[in-house]
Amino acid sequence: MIESRQTEPNWNRISGLFPRTRSKRIYIHPPLSDTLVEVRPDFTLLIKDALGRRGDLRRGHGFFIGEEQGAKPRFFDYRNVEQALLAPQEPILHSSIKQADFDHNLTSLTLKASDGGLRIYQFLTVTNLHPTQARTGEWYFLNVEASHRDFYRHVNEDYVPYESRAEAWFSGMPLAQRAINETSGCLIGGEGETILRYKADPTSHVEYAAEAGDYRNVLQFQMHLAPGETKQIQIEIFDTFVHKRGSPEASGNDRFLDEPSAIRQSQEIWRNALSGMAGIQVPEQVIQSIFDTAKTNTLQLIAQQNDGSALPGQGGFNDYTVVYTWEVSNYLRILSRLGATDTVKKTMQYFLSTQAGSIGPEGDILSPEGSFRAHIFWMCETGSVLGLLADYYSMTKDREWLEANLSIILKACDWVSQERNATKKYEADGTKVAHYGLLPKGRVHDWPDSGYFFLSNAATWQGLDLMAAALADIDHPAAARYIAEANDYKQCILASVQQATYELPEEGHVRWISNEVYTKPDIRAAVYAIDGPTYLMDTGLIDPSDEIVPEIEYVMRKRYAMSDLFAVKLPEMEDAELGELQKTWAGAPIDLYYVNNTEKIWHRVWSLRGEREKALRYFYATMAFSTTLDTMHVHERFSPQLQWLSPWQPNGSGNGRIMEMILNSLYVLEGNKLQLLPCIPADWLDVGKAVQVRGMATFYGELSFRVERSSQLSIDVELHLPAGIKEMIINLFTKDEYVIQAVEALSMDGQAAEWSGSLSANALSLTAPCRELNFKVALSGKAVMPQ
């Protein structure tokens, strides 16, 4: 019997189940910029130094409105502002709101100026909405410098909903006005640098006022508009907060850039940045937009330093000195597959530098010597760096780079070996201790729990294993030793897992695997659903086909609040004060889900197990509830009761997980076995629709393919496979339940050939496929259901 796919999960069915969150900060700076520019939903923006050289000092700029003539400035109402990117691959932001009977439309973007400095452009277009009366309105532009904490109710702004707070804006920067004419000019800082230029409609009145209501040093624009008339205010902000550039003379003589020209130049920056990168094409626009937005935003989360290295930020409100290796590896690995290896290489330079002076992770280590320590104290950081370094080599085969850094890399491998060997101890009766050959007891993640956690060891083993393979690839003489070390590590982990596996009689003797070697079933350690056995599955230590997988799922659902939409419901916010603030905003207790982290793992596991409905539910729930409603940026935690929470938004690791989840729908490469379309929505193969992957890098080489439903009874397939693929499977599930009948018009490496693989109702497979394949899949009508 063929399962009906008429009602399988889709975007419309899933995304409407809860209110989706909205973006509280939207980055508009260019790739690799060390000046970060975030536009906020109340028409204000903040500038910060990505490299932390200004501490928590921020510079704020923003439009305010006078609700009526002579009224004091007030924020635009962020709750009613609509935000949208001009295009997913172009972080040019359009914000709009109708307030005080005026229609306001704000375009925000960044460009590089001729002097090399960053320029921030804002174009505020105002239309009088009254059909019969001319009206005069007042708008203000404020400029401030203040500590990060002054702009928010709580310093950890990521975990509280957005709100406009006036206090930080009261004392504006004392600037000197230099007029170009009556409606345009510059504001000059104390050292003679140009802070910004302004230009208004020629009929406007512009004044730099000492005060306006509670605010000081305010640029005031008064405009008179006929019924339905539109006028514009233009602001050009110079990057003098991070980089001191821009003389008043030069800025005064430069021609103002109009909005269409500025948009075209910004688009060109991003076209150049994305050119040559691999891509995907799916027939569902919302999924395409989510992928493209994440790809572009990921390039904004990397800031280049003066020495050419780059800091990979995690996003949120932090600057990019806050590096979580295990987290950012999620998007750096995807960037390598997309072909942005030059950018990834800059971050490798940074990670390699963190061995010098490392204090090591937080744990009972023998010595930090040889470990990597970027920012965070997690036990898995050194293994995560090794995995990143190995992954970069495997994507690029840059032997010269690998050999140049071998002394650092081998020290890290030896650190793992040394720390593991220290735990190879025995009980009094001569049996091995349960944590035999694991890393020493340590901190697994931000939560305070310490122990012998499988997440820490799985990530570290994976990094060591990948690096051992890289060393073997260059025929390094020590490769065999490190391969043996990695294999021994794997066996030690699996032995510890066996000792940490219990039967639960009360659940019908279902097996339960602890997330920490010595944690018993009735004890809660750390966040089980996040750092538990799911990461044994994620790293391949537990295969998706293993019979214990359904038991892991059963226990997760029964005891750890896993549902059909979310893998991780947090029992509470880890910071009690922030938890209380969240409930205060909501006016009641809230639900808090940790999104996209573990959902990515379960989606892949279910896809490979053929459990389509569960995989597709997680696919669409993750796309909907870990991205924002307005701009589709990724965030970390979702609360249905708090539409302005969006923690760590935009979110680096979330970008990587979202893109990986989409890619896992299109292909999965495990060893030398390639599965194409393991779990795409059935309606992606409706007549006239196509799915395409272009130039995706793999460990074996480049992968490209296109699958198109050319007619009711045929699907056209074009494949360019990397070398080394031993088995290929293509899954073809259609919404109309047509099934595979035959393979026709087969061409292999340009030569006509006969199909020698196997066929089933919804899949075809081929062993030792050629590099280039083109063929047509003939379909038959709806399957006859057995009586």
Side-chain angles (χ1 to χ4, degrees), residues 644-663:
W644 286 100
L645 184 62
S646 42
W648 286 86
Q649 177 270 321
N651 184 258
S653 57
N655 283 342
R657 292 178 181 120
I658 284 279
M659 288 189 286
E660 184 176 348
M661 204 169 186
I662 295 171
L663 291 178

PDB file of all heavy atoms in Angstrom, residues 644-663:
ATOM      1  N   TRP A 644       8.051  39.314  20.199  1.00  0.00           N
ATOM      2  CA  TRP A 644       9.251  40.148  20.030  1.00  0.00           C
ATOM      3  C   TRP A 644      10.436  39.592  20.807  1.00  0.00           C
ATOM      4  O   TRP A 644      11.374  40.319  21.118  1.00  0.00           O
ATOM      5  CB  TRP A 644       8.965  41.589  20.472  1.00  0.00           C
ATOM      6  CG  TRP A 644       8.128  42.329  19.483  1.00  0.00           C
ATOM      7  CD1 TRP A 644       6.792  42.569  19.546  1.00  0.00           C
ATOM      8  CD2 TRP A 644       8.588  42.910  18.264  1.00  0.00           C
ATOM      9  NE1 TRP A 644       6.379  43.275  18.446  1.00  0.00           N
ATOM     10  CE2 TRP A 644       7.461  43.505  17.639  1.00  0.00           C
ATOM     11  CE3 TRP A 644       9.830  42.996  17.633  1.00  0.00           C
ATOM     12  CZ2 TRP A 644       7.548  44.172  16.418  1.00  0.00           C
ATOM     13  CZ3 TRP A 644       9.909  43.661  16.415  1.00  0.00           C
ATOM     14  CH2 TRP A 644       8.787  44.236  15.817  1.00  0.00           C
ATOM     15  N   LEU A 645      10.421  38.305  21.144  1.00  0.00           N
ATOM     16  CA  LEU A 645      11.544  37.743  21.897  1.00  0.00           C
ATOM     17  C   LEU A 645      12.748  37.494  20.975  1.00  0.00           C
ATOM     18  O   LEU A 645      13.808  38.071  21.148  1.00  0.00           O
ATOM     19  CB  LEU A 645      11.124  36.440  22.578  1.00  0.00           C
ATOM     20  CG  LEU A 645      12.179  35.789  23.472  1.00  0.00           C
ATOM     21  CD1 LEU A 645      12.554  36.704  24.624  1.00  0.00           C
ATOM     22  CD2 LEU A 645      11.695  34.458  24.016  1.00  0.00           C
ATOM     23  N   SER A 646      12.601  36.622  20.011  1.00  0.00           N
ATOM     24  CA  SER A 646      13.632  36.283  19.008  1.00  0.00           C
ATOM     25  C   SER A 646      15.059  36.366  19.536  1.00  0.00           C
ATOM     26  O   SER A 646      15.832  37.216  19.115  1.00  0.00           O
ATOM     27  CB  SER A 646      13.493  37.156  17.747  1.00  0.00           C
ATOM     28  OG  SER A 646      13.223  38.491  18.039  1.00  0.00           O
ATOM     29  N   PRO A 647      15.455  35.472  20.461  1.00  0.00           N
ATOM     30  CA  PRO A 647      16.800  35.523  21.036  1.00  0.00           C
ATOM     31  C   PRO A 647      17.881  35.188  20.004  1.00  0.00           C
ATOM     32  O   PRO A 647      17.670  34.415  19.087  1.00  0.00           O
ATOM     33  CB  PRO A 647      16.761  34.445  22.125  1.00  0.00           C
ATOM     34  CG  PRO A 647      15.319  34.147  22.354  1.00  0.00           C
ATOM     35  CD  PRO A 647      14.648  34.406  21.051  1.00  0.00           C
ATOM     36  N   TRP A 648      19.030  35.786  20.194  1.00  0.00           N
ATOM     37  CA  TRP A 648      20.186  35.569  19.313  1.00  0.00           C
ATOM     38  C   TRP A 648      19.762  35.694  17.858  1.00  0.00           C
ATOM     39  O   TRP A 648      20.039  34.828  17.029  1.00  0.00           O
ATOM     40  CB  TRP A 648      20.827  34.205  19.572  1.00  0.00           C
ATOM     41  CG  TRP A 648      21.596  34.145  20.844  1.00  0.00           C
ATOM     42  CD1 TRP A 648      21.115  33.858  22.077  1.00  0.00           C
ATOM     43  CD2 TRP A 648      23.010  34.389  21.023  1.00  0.00           C
ATOM     44  NE1 TRP A 648      22.122  33.894  23.014  1.00  0.00           N
ATOM     45  CE2 TRP A 648      23.296  34.210  22.386  1.00  0.00           C
ATOM     46  CE3 TRP A 648      24.052  34.713  20.156  1.00  0.00           C
ATOM     47  CZ2 TRP A 648      24.583  34.374  22.913  1.00  0.00           C
ATOM     48  CZ3 TRP A 648      25.323  34.869  20.663  1.00  0.00           C
ATOM     49  CH2 TRP A 648      25.584  34.701  22.037  1.00  0.00           C
ATOM     50  N   GLN A 649      19.094  36.778  17.562  1.00  0.00           N
ATOM     51  CA  GLN A 649      18.639  37.014  16.194  1.00  0.00           C
ATOM     52  C   GLN A 649      19.352  38.240  15.639  1.00  0.00           C
ATOM     53  O   GLN A 649      19.340  39.299  16.268  1.00  0.00           O
ATOM     54  CB  GLN A 649      17.124  37.236  16.176  1.00  0.00           C
ATOM     55  CG  GLN A 649      16.510  37.575  14.832  1.00  0.00           C
ATOM     56  CD  GLN A 649      16.451  39.054  14.535  1.00  0.00           C
ATOM     57  OE1 GLN A 649      16.184  39.881  15.400  1.00  0.00           O
ATOM     58  NE2 GLN A 649      16.750  39.419  13.305  1.00  0.00           N
ATOM     59  N   PRO A 650      20.018  38.076  14.456  1.00  0.00           N
ATOM     60  CA  PRO A 650      20.165  36.851  13.672  1.00  0.00           C
ATOM     61  C   PRO A 650      21.142  35.893  14.326  1.00  0.00           C
ATOM     62  O   PRO A 650      21.985  36.298  15.115  1.00  0.00           O
ATOM     63  CB  PRO A 650      20.698  37.362  12.329  1.00  0.00           C
ATOM     64  CG  PRO A 650      21.434  38.611  12.673  1.00  0.00           C
ATOM     65  CD  PRO A 650      20.681  39.232  13.809  1.00  0.00           C
ATOM     66  N   ASN A 651      21.042  34.603  13.956  1.00  0.00           N
ATOM     67  CA  ASN A 651      21.722  33.543  14.679  1.00  0.00           C
ATOM     68  C   ASN A 651      22.629  32.751  13.750  1.00  0.00           C
ATOM     69  O   ASN A 651      22.162  32.148  12.790  1.00  0.00           O
ATOM     70  CB  ASN A 651      20.669  32.631  15.312  1.00  0.00           C
ATOM     71  CG  ASN A 651      21.260  31.548  16.170  1.00  0.00           C
ATOM     72  OD1 ASN A 651      21.356  30.414  15.757  1.00  0.00           O
ATOM     73  ND2 ASN A 651      21.670  31.893  17.370  1.00  0.00           N
ATOM     74  N   GLY A 652      23.932  32.739  14.062  1.00  0.00           N
ATOM     75  CA  GLY A 652      24.892  32.101  13.173  1.00  0.00           C
ATOM     76  C   GLY A 652      24.717  30.603  13.051  1.00  0.00           C
ATOM     77  O   GLY A 652      24.557  30.058  11.956  1.00  0.00           O
ATOM     78  N   SER A 653      24.749  29.883  14.187  1.00  0.00           N
ATOM     79  CA  SER A 653      24.614  28.429  14.117  1.00  0.00           C
ATOM     80  C   SER A 653      23.251  28.047  13.561  1.00  0.00           C
ATOM     81  O   SER A 653      23.120  27.056  12.831  1.00  0.00           O
ATOM     82  CB  SER A 653      24.825  27.808  15.499  1.00  0.00           C
ATOM     83  OG  SER A 653      23.920  28.338  16.446  1.00  0.00           O
ATOM     84  N   GLY A 654      22.233  28.835  13.888  1.00  0.00           N
ATOM     85  CA  GLY A 654      20.908  28.576  13.331  1.00  0.00           C
ATOM     86  C   GLY A 654      20.900  28.700  11.818  1.00  0.00           C
ATOM     87  O   GLY A 654      20.239  27.925  11.123  1.00  0.00           O
ATOM     88  N   ASN A 655      21.630  29.697  11.273  1.00  0.00           N
ATOM     89  CA  ASN A 655      21.756  29.796   9.821  1.00  0.00           C
ATOM     90  C   ASN A 655      22.288  28.493   9.236  1.00  0.00           C
ATOM     91  O   ASN A 655      21.770  27.973   8.250  1.00  0.00           O
ATOM     92  CB  ASN A 655      22.722  30.930   9.455  1.00  0.00           C
ATOM     93  CG  ASN A 655      22.112  32.308   9.592  1.00  0.00           C
ATOM     94  OD1 ASN A 655      20.895  32.463   9.642  1.00  0.00           O
ATOM     95  ND2 ASN A 655      22.948  33.321   9.657  1.00  0.00           N
ATOM     96  N   GLY A 656      23.367  27.996   9.863  1.00  0.00           N
ATOM     97  CA  GLY A 656      23.966  26.769   9.358  1.00  0.00           C
ATOM     98  C   GLY A 656      23.014  25.599   9.441  1.00  0.00           C
ATOM     99  O   GLY A 656      22.914  24.787   8.509  1.00  0.00           O
ATOM    100  N   ARG A 657      22.298  25.487  10.566  1.00  0.00           N
ATOM    101  CA  ARG A 657      21.384  24.353  10.741  1.00  0.00           C
ATOM    102  C   ARG A 657      20.208  24.432   9.767  1.00  0.00           C
ATOM    103  O   ARG A 657      19.778  23.413   9.222  1.00  0.00           O
ATOM    104  CB  ARG A 657      20.891  24.313  12.179  1.00  0.00           C
ATOM    105  CG  ARG A 657      21.989  23.964  13.176  1.00  0.00           C
ATOM    106  CD  ARG A 657      21.459  23.981  14.604  1.00  0.00           C
ATOM    107  NE  ARG A 657      22.525  23.681  15.544  1.00  0.00           N
ATOM    108  CZ  ARG A 657      22.942  24.483  16.512  1.00  0.00           C
ATOM    109  NH1 ARG A 657      22.387  25.673  16.674  1.00  0.00           N
ATOM    110  NH2 ARG A 657      23.911  24.117  17.324  1.00  0.00           N
ATOM    111  N   ILE A 658      19.687  25.639   9.570  1.00  0.00           N
ATOM    112  CA  ILE A 658      18.586  25.808   8.623  1.00  0.00           C
ATOM    113  C   ILE A 658      19.029  25.432   7.214  1.00  0.00           C
ATOM    114  O   ILE A 658      18.339  24.691   6.492  1.00  0.00           O
ATOM    115  CB  ILE A 658      18.091  27.270   8.665  1.00  0.00           C
ATOM    116  CG1 ILE A 658      17.257  27.535   9.916  1.00  0.00           C
ATOM    117  CG2 ILE A 658      17.301  27.608   7.399  1.00  0.00           C
ATOM    118  CD1 ILE A 658      15.831  27.089   9.834  1.00  0.00           C
ATOM    119  N   MET A 659      20.185  25.938   6.795  1.00  0.00           N
ATOM    120  CA  MET A 659      20.670  25.612   5.450  1.00  0.00           C
ATOM    121  C   MET A 659      20.976  24.122   5.327  1.00  0.00           C
ATOM    122  O   MET A 659      20.664  23.499   4.306  1.00  0.00           O
ATOM    123  CB  MET A 659      21.899  26.454   5.110  1.00  0.00           C
ATOM    124  CG  MET A 659      21.586  27.915   4.859  1.00  0.00           C
ATOM    125  SD  MET A 659      22.996  28.853   4.196  1.00  0.00           S
ATOM    126  CE  MET A 659      24.030  28.991   5.661  1.00  0.00           C
ATOM    127  N   GLU A 660      21.565  23.536   6.381  1.00  0.00           N
ATOM    128  CA  GLU A 660      21.857  22.104   6.336  1.00  0.00           C
ATOM    129  C   GLU A 660      20.582  21.282   6.273  1.00  0.00           C
ATOM    130  O   GLU A 660      20.510  20.263   5.568  1.00  0.00           O
ATOM    131  CB  GLU A 660      22.692  21.699   7.549  1.00  0.00           C
ATOM    132  CG  GLU A 660      23.127  20.250   7.522  1.00  0.00           C
ATOM    133  CD  GLU A 660      24.043  19.880   8.670  1.00  0.00           C
ATOM    134  OE1 GLU A 660      24.536  20.787   9.376  1.00  0.00           O
ATOM    135  OE2 GLU A 660      24.262  18.667   8.879  1.00  0.00           O
ATOM    136  N   MET A 661      19.566  21.704   6.978  1.00  0.00           N
ATOM    137  CA  MET A 661      18.292  20.981   6.965  1.00  0.00           C
ATOM    138  C   MET A 661      17.691  20.986   5.558  1.00  0.00           C
ATOM    139  O   MET A 661      17.184  19.962   5.070  1.00  0.00           O
ATOM    140  CB  MET A 661      17.332  21.639   7.955  1.00  0.00           C
ATOM    141  CG  MET A 661      16.233  20.755   8.479  1.00  0.00           C
ATOM    142  SD  MET A 661      15.416  21.589   9.873  1.00  0.00           S
ATOM    143  CE  MET A 661      14.300  20.313  10.418  1.00  0.00           C
ATOM    144  N   ILE A 662      17.777  22.137   4.893  1.00  0.00           N
ATOM    145  CA  ILE A 662      17.269  22.223   3.523  1.00  0.00           C
ATOM    146  C   ILE A 662      18.116  21.354   2.598  1.00  0.00           C
ATOM    147  O   ILE A 662      17.587  20.601   1.769  1.00  0.00           O
ATOM    148  CB  ILE A 662      17.236  23.686   3.057  1.00  0.00           C
ATOM    149  CG1 ILE A 662      16.225  24.494   3.894  1.00  0.00           C
ATOM    150  CG2 ILE A 662      16.869  23.779   1.576  1.00  0.00           C
ATOM    151  CD1 ILE A 662      16.257  25.993   3.660  1.00  0.00           C
ATOM    152  N   LEU A 663      19.436  21.442   2.754  1.00  0.00           N
ATOM    153  CA  LEU A 663      20.311  20.612   1.921  1.00  0.00           C
ATOM    154  C   LEU A 663      20.085  19.124   2.181  1.00  0.00           C
ATOM    155  O   LEU A 663      20.120  18.307   1.252  1.00  0.00           O
ATOM    156  CB  LEU A 663      21.776  20.978   2.164  1.00  0.00           C
ATOM    157  CG  LEU A 663      22.222  22.355   1.668  1.00  0.00           C
ATOM    158  CD1 LEU A 663      23.682  22.600   2.029  1.00  0.00           C
ATOM    159  CD2 LEU A 663      22.018  22.480   0.164  1.00  0.00           C
TER     160      LEU A 663
END
